[in-house]
Amino acid sequence: MKKSLIILLVFGCCVCSLQAQEVLNKRVNLQIEEQPFEVVLYQLIDQEEIKLSFRNDILPEGLFSFDFNQQPLRIVLPALLEETNLGYRLIGEQILLIPLAPSQVDTYYTISGYITDRETNEHLIGANVYDRYSQRGTVSNEYGFFSLQLPGGPAQLRLSYLGYESFEESLNITDNTVLNKALQGSITLNEVVVYPRDTSANPIAGLATGQLIGLRETQMLPSLVGEQDVIRTAFLLPGVTTGADGAEGLQIRGGDAGQNLVLLDGVPVYYVNHAIGLFSIFNSDAVRSAQLLRAGFPARYGGRLSSVLDIRMKEGNQQALSGKASTGLLTSRFTLEGPIIKERSSFLLSGRWSFVHLLLKEQSRKFKESKGDNGATDYRFYDINAKYNHTFSDRNRVFLSLYRGRDNYDDLTTNSSVLSLTSQGGEPLNYDIDKSYGEGFSWTNTVGSFRWNHLFSDQLFANFSLTYSGLDQESFYNLEELSFEPSINQRDSLLIKGLFRSGIQDLGLKADWQLIVSPRQEFRFGIGANRRIFKPGALIVDLPVIGEEPFANNTINTTELSTYLEGKGKFSSNWEWNAGAHLAWWYVRSKGHLSVQPRLSVNYFPHQRWALSASLSRMVQNLHFLRNTTVNLPTEIWVPSTDKIKPAEAWMSNIGYQYKISPAWELQGDVYYKKMDRILSFLEGVEGFEDWEENVVTGEGEAYGAEWQLRKVKGKLTGWVSYTLSKSERQFEELNLGKVYPFRYDRRHNFQLAAIYQISPACYFSANWDYASGFAITLPLVKFASIVPGEISPPYPIALDPERKNNIRMPAYHRLDINFHFEWNQQKRYRHELNLGIYNLYNRNNPLYYDVRRSLVSQQNTPSTQYDFVEVQLAPILPSISYKISF
């Protein structure tokens, strides 16, 4: 399959390249005598059907005569323009005439500045800057800064950004120029367009630079109980899978959630979920941009194996005080932003909190009582985002940002029962059985940063950062059972308990530079240092209750030093490259781990409608995400590489293509292969341990697949269809008898459909449908007596055996969500929005996990242990309504 796709891509590349060359090979007849140059060009357009573009004001004056008979256009054009001070560019099948300035052609000047939003003065990330004459262009960086070198003379500069009105200005460049421009947001809502990049020279570009997650799409697509979430939008992209109903985070191209580098304003975030994964910690009202990289990682990113999700917060409105507030069935939130000093400094404050516990606790209590149990389920969370920025000058700006969030979930159940038996003497034996089940999760995230942007020159931009990220996470499960028979004074007890803790404190210092040498070449380089303190812990016991089990987290201090060099440029108008290396030195317990991580990606544009890409990356991860896969709950801990455990590494290769079928339709595809080594896993079957370091094993993994996405980007109906065919496997010498087994999230087929229909500028309907093969879990299918000769006398304890790892496939996952959105008072001071939606419209039962429950039953008048699989479902059909007011 992979070979066939590669052959198809190469064939398509050759066909498109030949089509572009046919334009210049076309033979034309041209007989002109004493005519203006404009007439010459229009004869080529009308009679020879040559696609020519030009401006009349650049045409030479005077009368011209030419005589060509069946000559190829590649000979005719240079002859026509020989004495006109004009040149031409071939863009696909289009020929663009451009002015040349011979006296200044060897003199280049730098146009630089910031591109901002006119209403808020926020900097725009990835805005396009393009000169129509020289065909040179660039994009603004993550701080809105751009730098472009242009030849002296006339220029026609065009600035554009998704969702904003384009700006054009004619310039006569005679010196270095600072050009700060504010773009006006477009009120046209009948099109939703998302491109990784958009330049006039190459409408399809940047295949290896990542995919922007459309925030407008995030707002428009259906959401869970009204919670619009950028990560839930990422679930609809090819190559991205999840657990059940969004639980357990992003799983990208065969990796687990811990292999994703998630950045909030450049700071790593170690846990990104609310509601056990149903939606993320990122409040969409506070998010300015989000970019997901699945391959072709630039050298400036390091530390993870599978992906990079780079999220940037809004900076705050520098023009006027504004805000919004909303409420739904699960949460309420608010956002307030405005200037402190107009056009120089601003603030942003955004908060969100849940009130579901007010209903959940009472409803869960009633549900448990209906089954003869006691107890309740409680869940609550909050988060807050704050940001301040101040502009000292065009060359200096500082930012201070903070995020804080906390979740707490508890589910406790108790019940009492009586098991009636008969003794050998015929006397009744009544066992009083008291059982309690408990499981819970709690986590706290704290993320903060101080950044200073400094412009050393028109071509050298720098950012200096002081960052902090902290995580305190704990999850537990337990079963305690007490049975007592008064007449014979017999008492039995059992405790099954698991406790997992992650504590991380990450303090970092980093400096990044961006040097724009020319429109064809730029470099990024930087250095960084991180001091990380880990407090991981894991306790698993299955034994008679004796007393409180001791538990302590062992602190591990680590230091990481890193540096990188990254360059990108163009070989020609058809070829782009990005290459570099990321170096990291990890120091722990008097031992250092040095890693060199080369990166290379190449883009080729054989035709205006076609683009091909290829990339190869080596990634190294110095910290590990451990999960107890025998317990099908989110039981994870973060642990570092140590003197005993080496860092994990992966090689990722990718081949991709894009084809612009029409202005409204695009097709994109990728084929990838990833090889992972020294990945970490718990050693299973071990009971009663605390030291995680002595109970882990290292192994290898392999993932490969093909992805396709068909997008409709214009018209009243927009959206996309995505399909991923993939396979992911793991192998550990000490697990599964050393045999290869499927990774937990090895889902062979993934299909996503997202659609948005714009009924009017104020009203739209949206829907999405997901389908995925069931993920793999480990369940005990065999039970046997655990006989230890000389130590335990009959009856022997019963042990459960799964036979092999990940031996069961969950049912296929599928779900349909719909949403209806209406706005009013759009042009007035107070604007209103109403969302009505249904999550899981046809109430598909998608289990979150299966729990193994133990109970005592009478078997041939003898107490016997019975095990049952209990299906746990998290999200049935859920209607939602949310209201938002903005000013």
Side-chain angles (χ1 to χ4, degrees):
M1 180 192 68
K2 291 191 288 184
K3 291 182 179 179
S4 299
L5 183 57
I6 294 171
I7 293 172
L8 178 61
L9 292 175
V10 174
F11 176 74
C13 166
C14 297
V15 170
C16 293
S17 181
L18 290 174
Q19 289 176 346
Q21 295 302 317
E22 286 178 359
V23 177
L24 295 178
N25 290 333
K26 184 175 181 179
R27 295 183 177 273
V28 300
N29 293 313
L30 186 64
Q31 288 81 34
I32 294 290
E33 204 165 317
E34 299 294 324
Q35 294 291 335
F37 200 75
E38 181 181 1
V39 174
V40 177
L41 298 179
Y42 277 113
Q43 183 168 327
L44 286 174
I45 294 173
D46 296 334
Q47 296 182 13
E48 303 298 327
E49 297 182 348
I50 304 298
K51 295 180 180 179
L52 274 172
S53 296
F54 58 89
R55 288 174 45 221
N56 288 335
D57 61 347
I58 67 172
L59 300 182
E61 297 179 355
L63 301 177
F64 296 82
S65 299
F66 297 102
D67 187 4
F68 296 100
N69 183 25
Q70 288 296 306
Q71 294 292 318
L73 192 59
R74 66 174 62 256
I75 295 177
V76 173
L77 270 178
L80 291 178
L81 305 177
E82 186 176 4
E83 298 181 1
T84 64
N85 204 28
L86 294 176
Y88 73 90
R89 301 282 184 184
L90 181 62
I91 306 175
E93 298 179 359
Q94 187 85 13
I95 297 173
L96 177 67
L97 299 188
I98 57 174
L100 300 176
S103 61
Q104 296 178 306
V105 74
D106 295 328
T107 304
Y108 287 84
Y109 301 100
T110 301
I111 310 296
S112 63
Y114 291 89
I115 303 177
T116 59
D117 181 305
R118 181 174 297 177
E119 294 184 359
T120 66
N121 211 36
E122 285 206 20
H123 292 77
L124 300 180
I125 300 173
N128 302 292
V129 182
Y130 178 70
D131 176 34
R132 293 185 181 275
Y133 290 172
S134 65
Q135 297 286 288
R136 294 171 178 246
T138 188
V139 294
S140 59
N141 67 9
E142 56 268 37
Y143 303 101
F145 174 78
F146 77 93
S147 178
L148 178 64
Q149 284 190 326
L150 297 177
Q156 184 72 20
L157 214 59
R158 183 177 186 269
L159 280 64
S160 62
Y161 189 72
L162 177 65
Y164 286 74
E165 295 178 359
S166 299
F167 170 85
E168 290 203 21
E169 183 173 345
S170 297
L171 301 173
N172 186 33
I173 302 174
T174 59
D175 202 351
N176 293 339
T177 304
V178 175
L179 185 68
N180 296 322
K181 285 298 178 181
L183 300 183
Q184 178 65 49
S186 173
I187 62 173
T188 303
L189 300 178
N190 63 340
E191 295 181 1
V192 178
V193 185
V194 176
Y195 295 111
R197 272 176 42 191
D198 178 21
T199 67
S200 298
N202 289 318
I204 299 177
L207 294 175
T209 59
Q211 184 166 3
L212 290 174
I213 300 175
L215 298 184
R216 181 64 178 167
E217 291 175 329
T218 297
Q219 296 172 0
M220 299 177 79
L221 287 170
S223 56
L224 175 61
V225 289
E227 276 301 309
Q228 299 158 349
D229 182 19
V230 66
I231 286 188
R232 292 199 67 84
T233 304
F235 288 152
L236 299 174
L237 299 178
V240 181
T241 61
T242 181
D245 287 311
E248 304 172 46
L250 296 169
Q251 324 293 329
I252 298 177
R253 293 188 170 183
D256 59 42
Q259 294 178 0
N260 305 317
L261 176 61
V262 182
L263 300 171
L264 180 62
D265 277 348
V267 186
V269 182
Y270 291 99
Y271 195 77
V272 299
N273 294 327
H274 277 315
I276 322 174
L278 287 179
F279 48 90
S280 75
I281 65 173
F282 304 113
N283 187 342
S284 60
D285 289 342
V287 173
R288 178 166 54 121
S289 71
Q291 184 183 37
L292 178 65
L293 293 90
R294 291 165 292 172
F297 306 103
R300 59 186 179 272
Y301 297 112
R304 300 294 189 277
L305 301 186
S306 293
S307 75
V308 177
L309 179 59
D310 193 349
I311 296 177
R312 301 283 168 167
M313 286 173 55
K314 292 180 179 178
E315 297 173 356
N317 193 329
Q318 289 192 350
Q319 302 293 335
L321 185 67
S322 64
K324 58 186 69 174
S326 63
T327 186
L329 297 179
L330 179 64
T331 67
S332 290
R333 53 185 172 176
F334 77 93
T335 301
L336 187 66
E337 55 183 317
I340 298 176
I341 302 175
K342 193 170 184 179
E343 297 186 356
R344 294 190 68 84
S345 63
S346 63
F347 75 94
L348 169 76
L349 183 64
S350 184
R352 177 173 54 167
W353 63 95
S354 69
F355 48 79
V356 68
H357 62 279
L358 300 176
L359 298 174
L360 179 62
K361 209 165 187 178
E362 183 61 28
Q363 293 299 318
S364 63
R365 182 180 291 111
K366 292 180 180 179
F367 178 73
K368 290 178 184 293
E369 288 177 353
S370 69
K371 299 196 303 179
D373 297 332
N374 296 313
T377 302
D378 187 24
Y379 172 70
R380 59 189 73 195
F381 78 86
Y382 76 87
D383 55 31
I384 187 167
N385 295 83
K387 195 167 187 178
Y388 166 79
N389 74 89
H390 183 81
T391 304
F392 291 95
S393 66
D394 288 341
R395 294 184 177 270
N396 293 281
R397 192 176 187 185
V398 296
F399 302 83
L400 181 64
S401 59
L402 174 68
Y403 169 82
R404 172 80 173 184
R406 178 169 175 80
D407 291 67
N408 193 77
Y409 167 80
D410 288 294
D411 184 19
L412 301 175
T413 304
T414 63
N415 62 43
S416 299
S417 61
V418 176
L419 178 64
S420 298
L421 304 173
T422 303
S423 68
Q424 293 181 355
E427 299 295 327
L429 298 176
N430 295 317
Y431 285 86
D432 298 323
I433 302 173
D434 294 319
K435 287 193 294 186
S436 65
Y437 303 92
E439 58 194 32
F441 317 91
S442 64
W443 53 93
T444 302
N445 264 312
T446 305
V447 179
S449 68
F450 174 79
R451 291 178 290 133
W452 169 36
N453 290 173
H454 178 66
L455 190 61
F456 284 96
S457 69
D458 294 335
Q459 296 171 262
L460 182 59
F461 178 90
N463 179 70
F464 304 95
S465 304
L466 176 64
T467 65
Y468 173 82
S469 183
L471 171 68
D472 290 303
Q473 180 184 5
E474 179 176 299
S475 60
F476 73 91
Y477 65 92
N478 62 63
L479 163 64
E480 187 171 352
E481 182 180 288
L482 299 174
S483 63
F484 177 65
E485 208 298 311
S487 62
I488 59 176
N489 196 28
Q490 179 177 333
R491 181 186 300 271
D492 291 306
S493 61
L494 175 69
L495 172 67
I496 300 176
K497 183 176 182 180
L499 183 61
F500 297 80
R501 289 176 180 166
S502 279
I504 302 176
Q505 293 181 359
D506 183 346
L507 183 64
L509 186 63
K510 193 175 183 183
D512 300 276
W513 288 269
Q514 181 181 11
L515 176 63
I516 303 170
V517 179
S518 71
R520 288 180 172 270
Q521 195 171 54
E522 72 173 62
F523 293 94
R524 289 177 182 252
F525 48 93
I527 56 174
N530 289 80
R531 178 68 170 175
R532 295 185 180 92
I533 301 174
F534 291 82
K535 293 184 177 181
L539 172 68
I540 301 176
V541 295
D542 183 355
L543 68 169
V545 176
I546 299 174
E548 186 67 24
E549 291 296 323
F551 183 83
N553 286 35
N554 299 317
T555 300
I556 303 176
N557 298 315
T558 68
T559 300
E560 182 178 21
L561 303 178
S562 60
T563 184
Y564 69 88
L565 175 62
E566 173 191 335
K568 73 173 185 178
K570 295 182 178 181
F571 300 121
S572 65
S573 59
N574 298 94
W575 288 91
E576 291 181 354
W577 59 270
N578 184 301
H582 185 101
L583 278 72
W585 185 64
W586 181 271
Y587 183 76
V588 56
R589 294 175 180 168
S590 302
K591 182 175 178 61
H593 299 286
L594 177 65
S595 62
V596 180
Q597 306 167 47
R599 316 285 172 77
L600 175 65
S601 61
V602 179
N603 295 335
Y604 175 54
F605 310 98
H607 186 271
Q608 190 177 15
R609 292 188 175 186
W610 272 97
L612 305 176
S613 71
S615 65
L616 180 65
S617 306
R618 181 177 187 257
M619 309 293 285
V620 173
Q621 184 162 335
N622 291 302
L623 60 165
H624 307 266
F625 192 63
L626 273 177
R627 189 180 195 281
N628 180 21
T629 55
T630 58
V631 179
N632 294 299
L633 296 173
T635 47
E636 306 105 347
I637 59 174
W638 283 101
V639 298
S641 298
T642 66
D643 53 330
K644 302 176 182 178
I645 300 171
K646 294 182 179 181
E649 68 172 20
W651 283 95
M652 164 74 86
S653 58
N654 187 89
I655 297 175
Y657 71 93
Q658 278 189 350
Y659 176 58
K660 195 173 183 66
I661 302 171
S662 70
W665 291 90
E666 292 180 353
L667 178 65
Q668 177 178 337
D670 289 271
V671 177
Y672 69 89
Y673 176 80
K674 180 164 64 176
K675 177 65 174 176
M676 296 168 282
D677 290 309
R678 297 197 298 272
I679 52 179
L680 210 61
S681 178
F682 268 125
L683 182 62
E684 296 174 352
V686 179
E687 297 180 350
F689 73 82
E690 287 187 62
D691 189 353
W692 65 268
E693 204 169 353
E694 298 298 328
N695 293 278
V696 294
V697 292
T698 58
E700 59 186 31
E702 186 180 49
Y704 52 89
E707 305 166 356
W708 293 270
Q709 185 179 59
L710 178 66
R711 302 185 71 102
K712 188 174 186 295
V713 297
K714 290 188 177 182
K716 286 192 172 184
L717 178 63
T718 57
W720 65 87
V721 176
S722 300
Y723 172 69
T724 302
L725 176 65
S726 61
K727 188 172 185 178
S728 180
E729 296 177 324
R730 298 284 191 272
Q731 185 175 23
F732 295 83
E733 185 177 346
E734 296 87 348
L735 298 180
N736 200 48
L737 301 178
K739 297 179 181 179
V740 175
Y741 63 88
F743 176 51
R744 177 178 175 85
Y745 297 105
D746 171 43
R747 302 187 118 165
R748 194 72 65 247
H749 306 281
N750 280 270
F751 181 87
Q752 297 97 8
L753 171 65
I756 302 169
Y757 183 73
Q758 194 81 48
I759 302 171
S760 70
C763 180
Y764 61 80
F765 173 82
S766 61
N768 61 258
W769 186 72
D770 299 347
Y771 174 88
S773 304
F775 61 87
I777 62 172
T778 303
L779 288 180
L781 299 181
V782 177
K783 66 178 182 179
F784 59 90
S786 179
I787 303 175
V788 184
E791 297 187 15
I792 303 177
S793 58
Y796 299 113
I798 296 298
L800 301 179
D801 182 18
E803 292 187 306
R804 64 184 186 278
K805 189 170 177 60
N806 288 345
N807 57 336
I808 294 293
R809 287 281 179 175
M810 297 287 278
Y813 178 94
H814 52 89
R815 190 192 76 244
L816 174 65
D817 309 329
I818 62 172
N819 183 67
F820 177 80
H821 176 92
F822 180 69
E823 301 178 15
W824 64 97
N825 288 354
Q826 288 177 294
Q827 306 302 320
K828 297 183 180 181
R829 176 174 175 80
Y830 294 98
R831 301 179 298 279
H832 306 270
E833 300 177 32
L834 180 67
N835 277 290
L836 302 173
I838 301 178
Y839 181 89
N840 197 1
L841 179 65
Y842 51 83
N843 198 27
R844 165 68 176 177
N845 180 18
N846 292 305
L848 178 63
Y849 60 89
Y850 286 100
D851 200 3
V852 181
R853 296 287 173 86
R854 175 186 183 271
S855 59
L856 285 178
V857 297
S858 174
Q859 187 173 8
Q860 297 180 352
N861 201 37
T862 303
S864 178
T865 301
Q866 176 177 293
Y867 295 91
D868 299 302
F869 294 143
V870 179
E871 183 181 278
V872 179
Q873 181 188 9
L874 192 60
I877 181 172
L878 291 173
S880 67
I881 179 171
S882 63
Y883 165 76
K884 179 187 289 187
I885 182 171
S886 306
F887 65 90

